[in-house]
Amino acid sequence: MDDMLKDFVVEAMDLAVNVEEHLLRLERDPDNKETLNAVFRSFHTIKGGAGFMGLPALVAACHLTENLFDALRTGAAPVTPIAIEAALQASGFVADQLTELANGAAPESLPAMPEELEHILTNAIEGKGMDAHAPAAAVVAEVAAPVAQAAEVVAAAPAAAVSTASADGLDWEAMYNAVVPAASQIAAAPVSAVAAAPAAVAAAPAAAAAAKPAGKAWDGAERREERPEVRHAAPVKEDSIRVDAVKLDALLEVAGESVQAANQAAVLLERLLQFKFEGQAATLMATLAETLERASRYSTELQRATLATRMQPVGRLFQKFPRLVRELAKDLGKDVELTIEGAETEVDRVVVDSLYDPLVHMLRNSLDHGVESPEARLAAGKPAKSYISLKAWQEANSVMIVLQDDGKGMDPVFLRSKAQQKGLISENAQLSNDECFQLVFLPGFSTKEVASSVSGRGVGMDVVKTAVEKNRGAIHIESTLGKGTKFAIRLPIELSIVPTMLVSTSGAALALPMAVVQRVVELPETFMEVGGAPVLKDQGRPLPVRSLAGSLGYESCSERVGIVVAAPQPYILAVEAVDGTADLVIKPMTAITVEGITGTARSAEGELVLVVGLSFLMDGCRGSVRMAA
């Protein structure tokens, strides 16, 4: 794909996504003129670029949709369900064509516009399926009359009609009567009645020249004089440039390594300053210290600036979901409204790109399993319409994404029974309610007896947990029977550089994400026990104590320092020592998989550090699957 086509595809895809968002908003608020104009402009812009790139199918679809919205925005036709449906189908076709181009398809290989799409757009333009009492003139006047036809109408108008020409020299009445059915023609119509005619007719130079009185032939000078600012306008300043994501990733890696190198140099300098230097050596050491401090400051600023270039608002991801919910709810016969909050929250680009599939699975499960049909909701004393909310916000060094519905909730007893039937857990497994909710993430788990096109194959939620943990995140479920379910996803704001607490246990150097560290406490020699497990009171509440060495399978050691972990079920993590905090450049582990370890890093001293996974800590230092089995 050449650069010009690539730029067009990127910009057009952004417009296509915005179009869907505008259309769904328009469905809720048909009188919003600003939204109507925004949709019209988007299709007009895509059509212009597609014409320049030689993409006839895109041009045809955008042109028909543009005609439709020209009528809607000028009031010549009302906003109806068939108009919204036609525009959504056109938007989907445009998005499909752009996706194929983005995936490397040649422009000449793209399919033509489907006849079904042309048919539904034509019907919407002609008013078929709309209210029978809609004014016939309003329905037909929406169709953009060809410029040549307009010129013929004006040229052939009788002398009587010419004598009633308006101040601009055009006989609007004759032009109007020429494009409407005979039954709708009028003897006299004010200029305002036809002012909504397509602009192409009013501005056609040939038509204007034919209607001008003799001796006043129009040569274009009047229009140029009216818009002198256009002639002298300065070129538009570019506020942004497009950079390949691979280049940004490489830049971030270099920035991270430079910070690590600066930190190591600072540690070495601190050790050198323990020795006594005199004369010229002392001067050189002072200069070296100043230079390293400046280099460290600049490397940190470089790292911060590079991270900012990778950050993107989650709204880029969220704006794809309203239409998905609308279409799926329609297929399932449910009345569902999706509300979105916190779309401006920024997170690493890699996280945004990798969250689409997990959130789609969660939405589909919420629609299919969670929310009830309108009849069932009314029988349960609920409103017929159900609500799903999607929220995002920044919390410390993490981003929280919460998907919540007001449906029927999950029954932990039923979940445990289903898992036992499928052989996913043992018959005598004793699980808490929270642990039962975690069963939905097991591969092969499903509460449906027969798989449908929406869910039931037992792979969706497994994909969700895998994708979240791949991004060093964690997911937690809260549910109340009869009231609804909430899925909470916690993710690091950015993936490469993570604030951590450095600890050691059983001779191993480890790093814990600061996102779950609340505070450090001293552990006693002996503990109280509840059910045979050690417990320690912290700020008046009893918390279980778990050994980090034991959880990772290391040799037992004397662990006298505790870290209060902010998990859904808080606990105290026992370690041998706390060695401070550091922002580490995390390298994912690709060759091997170790339970509880998500990556490696280098400390300021150059020592290899193992990074403990956020999900592992949030689950209480044990995997739900292993624990349940």
Side-chain angles (χ1 to χ4, degrees), residues 565-612:
V565 178
Q569 300 295 325
Y571 64 96
I572 295 176
L573 183 65
V575 299
E576 195 171 359
V578 172
D579 302 323
T581 61
D583 291 345
L584 299 182
V585 179
I586 309 297
K587 303 290 185 182
M589 296 178 63
T590 56
I592 59 174
T593 301
V594 179
E595 177 74 19
I597 303 299
T598 189
T600 62
R602 290 280 178 186
S603 67
E605 291 80 8
E607 182 183 5
L608 181 66
V609 176
L610 299 178
V611 182
V612 182

Side-chain angles (χ1 to χ4, degrees), residues 228-354:
E229 69 279 5
V230 175
R231 188 172 63 243
H232 302 291
V236 178
K237 181 181 178 181
E238 291 288 345
D239 293 328
S240 62
I241 60 173
R242 298 190 183 277
V243 180
D244 195 316
V246 176
K247 295 179 180 178
L248 282 181
D249 294 341
L251 179 60
L252 180 62
E253 184 173 355
V254 171
E257 293 295 346
S258 69
V259 171
Q260 290 290 90
N263 290 340
Q264 291 183 21
V267 171
L268 293 174
L269 178 64
E270 186 177 353
R271 292 178 180 176
L272 281 173
L273 290 176
Q274 296 175 358
F275 298 95
K276 185 176 181 181
F277 294 92
E278 297 179 351
Q280 188 176 3
T283 303
L284 288 174
M285 288 301 298
T287 304
L288 177 60
E290 181 184 347
T291 303
L292 282 179
E293 190 277 331
R294 189 167 64 252
S296 177
R297 184 172 67 251
Y298 288 148
S299 64
T300 302
E301 289 298 325
L302 173 63
Q303 179 192 57
R304 189 174 297 130
T306 307
L307 285 174
T309 63
R310 284 171 51 110
M311 304 298 282
Q312 291 187 345
V314 293
R316 171 176 168 266
L317 176 68
F318 287 178
Q319 64 187 356
K320 302 176 182 180
F321 296 136
R323 184 177 180 184
L324 182 147
V325 171
R326 174 186 182 272
E327 299 293 340
L328 191 54
K330 183 179 177 182
D331 292 342
L332 295 173
K334 298 179 179 180
D335 188 5
V336 182
E337 180 175 332
L338 176 67
T339 59
I340 293 176
E341 298 180 26
E344 70 284 354
T345 305
E346 290 191 331
V347 70
D348 192 289
R349 175 191 62 82
V350 176
V351 175
V352 172
D353 293 340
S354 62

Side-chain angles (χ1 to χ4, degrees), residues 52-89:
F52 182 74
M53 294 295 166
L55 304 169
L58 272 179
V59 172
C62 291
H63 180 68
L64 280 175
T65 315
E66 186 183 6
N67 283 347
L68 171 62
F69 272 83
D70 187 43
L72 298 179
R73 72 191 185 119
T74 57
V79 178
T80 58
I82 190 174
I84 297 295
E85 185 63 33
L88 281 171
Q89 290 195 25

Side-chain angles (χ1 to χ4, degrees), residues 381-432:
K382 294 182 176 182
K385 176 181 284 190
S386 55
Y387 293 88
I388 297 176
S389 67
L390 186 58
K391 301 179 182 178
W393 69 89
Q394 185 174 334
E395 190 174 280
N397 294 309
S398 302
V399 168
M400 296 296 300
I401 297 178
V402 173
L403 178 69
Q404 186 170 7
D405 65 60
D406 64 347
K408 59 187 177 184
M410 294 193 291
D411 184 353
V413 176
F414 178 71
L415 294 176
R416 183 172 64 248
S417 174
K418 275 291 182 182
Q420 289 171 342
Q421 289 177 19
K422 293 178 178 292
L424 298 175
I425 60 174
S426 62
E427 291 291 335
N428 56 358
Q430 299 297 317
L431 307 178
S432 66

